[in-house]
Amino acid sequence: MPVPAPNLYPPFNIVRLSHVEYRVRDLAASRAFYVDILGLQVTHEETGRLYVRAMEERGHHCIVLVQADTADVGVLGFKLYDEPDLERAESFFAEKSLPTAWVERPHMGRTLRTRDPWGIPLEFYVRMDRLPPIHQKYRLYNGVKPLRIDHFNMFSADVDASVAFYGEMGFRVTEYTEDDESGRLWAAWMHRKGGVHDVAFTNGLGPRLHHTAFWVPTPLNIIDLLDLMSTTGYVANIERGPGRHGISNAFFLYVRDPDGHRIEIYCSDYQTVDPDLEPIRWSLTDPQRQTLWGAPAPKSWFDEGSTFEGTEPVPSALKAQPIIAP
């Protein structure tokens, strides 16, 4: 199926991705990983809940860690442009018979909670508590020195349908992988903020969250993180990389938190703000699409992901797969 034309005038205006809520079994272990190893900054801590932000972020949080019996994903959050967009977003989801509710969220203003057609829990807001800037407080820089949250990548049982739905909301395709035999999309990268992606969809058992990514200043930050993890008891949490993707051109590393939630550390992609930018096509049989250089992805990278709270994933009908390293 062809990539749909971009919707340059969507029904409501999404600025960017904003935050993710991870449910974790051991909050202290997760705190050690995200704060002491990755270097995210604590903005609020209470019994059973921890809020963190990256160094360039002025919003209150980009990750909420919640103590829970099961390790899954509570919600993916997106910032809207202005208050009327919240009403328009509610109408958009209600017209598609998808659930909508106005919820109270700490440190956030009026918030709309909903789900996409496959059950991914989403929330939209305009206002979040603003915090003083810390990007020049260099004494606070630790770990991989994360600057900002960059994107979500999700397993989808129907990538074509996911791209069509998120395209209606104004996400624009920058790059995609196509199965040569069926002509169907195997993966796609879509943005709002002018980078390669805010969201991406990869064929597989879905919906599940494949990873959340953080932008860092240089590849040397990734090397520093590898040195730190390998000497502090986290070497087994290093899953893939470092390397460079063909798609997005990003220098990358994938690590797993204590519950198995996957985090990508990421830099060096490119600007995509032009509304008439043509998406780049990759064949599923091209090995350089996922790894321009570096070791091939392990099987876990294709098979494992975090489930969404309250949603049961289903298999994809598209069985085409790239070559997987042993």
Side-chain angles (χ1 to χ4, degrees):
M1 295 177 65
V3 173
N7 180 9
L8 301 181
Y9 303 97
F12 57 99
N13 188 356
I14 299 171
V15 176
R16 58 175 174 83
L17 87 161
S18 169
H19 58 276
V20 58
E21 180 183 282
Y22 281 127
R23 294 153 56 92
V24 300
R25 297 184 183 91
D26 185 336
L27 189 57
S30 293
R31 188 191 197 284
F33 179 81
Y34 285 97
V35 177
D36 300 335
I37 300 302
L38 295 190
L40 292 162
Q41 302 294 307
V42 175
T43 58
H44 183 74
E45 192 167 7
E46 61 189 56
T47 302
R49 194 174 292 258
L50 179 72
Y51 297 82
V52 297
R53 65 164 164 161
M55 301 306 298
E56 287 185 352
E57 293 172 341
R58 296 286 300 279
H60 184 271
H61 55 269
C62 63
I63 292 183
V64 186
L65 299 172
V66 179
Q67 179 75 49
D69 293 331
T70 57
D72 52 20
V73 179
V75 73
L76 304 180
F78 296 86
K79 180 177 173 61
L80 303 187
Y81 187 78
D82 205 355
E83 294 293 335
D85 287 305
L86 282 167
E87 305 294 340
R88 291 191 282 264
E90 181 189 34
S91 297
F92 174 84
F93 285 92
E95 287 169 4
K96 296 180 179 297
S97 300
L98 295 168
T100 61
W102 299 103
V103 297
E104 295 291 330
R105 295 286 276 166
H107 313 288
M108 293 169 58
R110 195 165 179 238
T111 302
L112 174 68
R113 180 68 70 93
T114 184
R115 290 181 184 263
D116 77 2
W118 302 276
I120 295 176
L122 306 173
E123 64 185 17
F124 299 93
Y125 74 98
V126 174
R127 311 291 176 199
M128 180 184 283
D129 290 351
R130 305 295 281 182
L131 301 177
I134 56 173
H135 63 277
Q136 288 183 328
K137 293 190 175 182
Y138 291 106
R139 64 181 177 81
L140 298 178
Y141 281 74
N142 294 300
V144 77
K145 301 178 181 177
L147 296 186
R148 56 188 175 270
I149 193 170
D150 189 83
H151 62 263
F152 303 127
N153 189 311
M154 291 156 277
F155 283 113
S156 170
D158 188 337
V159 175
D160 286 290
S162 295
V163 168
F165 180 79
Y166 282 76
E168 280 191 72
M169 292 192 287
F171 289 90
R172 305 204 299 268
V173 176
T174 56
E175 304 199 30
Y176 64 99
T177 299
E178 190 172 73
D179 173 37
D180 296 329
E181 184 174 335
S182 67
R184 295 186 60 185
L185 294 177
W186 193 87
W189 287 252
M190 309 181 77
H191 82 95
R192 286 295 298 170
K193 66 180 182 300
V196 171
H197 53 325
D198 289 74
V199 297
F201 299 96
T202 300
N203 181 68
L205 180 72
R208 293 176 296 155
L209 181 61
H210 187 274
H211 66 264
T212 299
F214 283 87
W215 177 272
V216 298
T218 74
L220 291 177
N221 296 98
I222 291 175
I223 303 302
D224 288 343
L225 178 64
L226 289 163
D227 285 339
L228 178 62
M229 292 182 69
S230 66
T231 56
T232 53
Y234 291 95
V235 68
N237 296 69
I238 300 168
E239 181 185 34
R240 179 188 176 195
R244 187 175 295 279
H245 288 307
I247 293 171
S248 81
N249 195 50
F251 194 92
F252 68 83
L253 174 72
Y254 294 90
V255 299
R256 308 291 285 270
D257 80 358
D259 287 283
H261 299 305
R262 183 181 290 109
I263 300 294
E264 181 183 16
I265 309 300
Y266 180 95
C267 65
S268 307
D269 68 349
Y270 55 88
Q271 182 174 276
T272 61
V273 294
D274 291 359
D276 58 347
L277 192 72
E278 302 89 350
I280 298 170
R281 179 192 180 276
W282 293 79
S283 169
L284 184 58
T285 61
D286 185 343
Q288 286 192 296
R289 60 175 196 84
Q290 58 158 302
T291 312
L292 189 68
W293 62 262
K299 190 172 185 298
S300 63
W301 194 83
F302 293 99
D303 293 347
E304 297 174 10
S306 300
T307 57
F308 291 103
E309 182 272 328
T311 299
E312 187 69 28
V314 299
S316 170
L318 179 59
K319 302 305 180 185
Q321 292 288 339
I323 296 172
I324 300 174

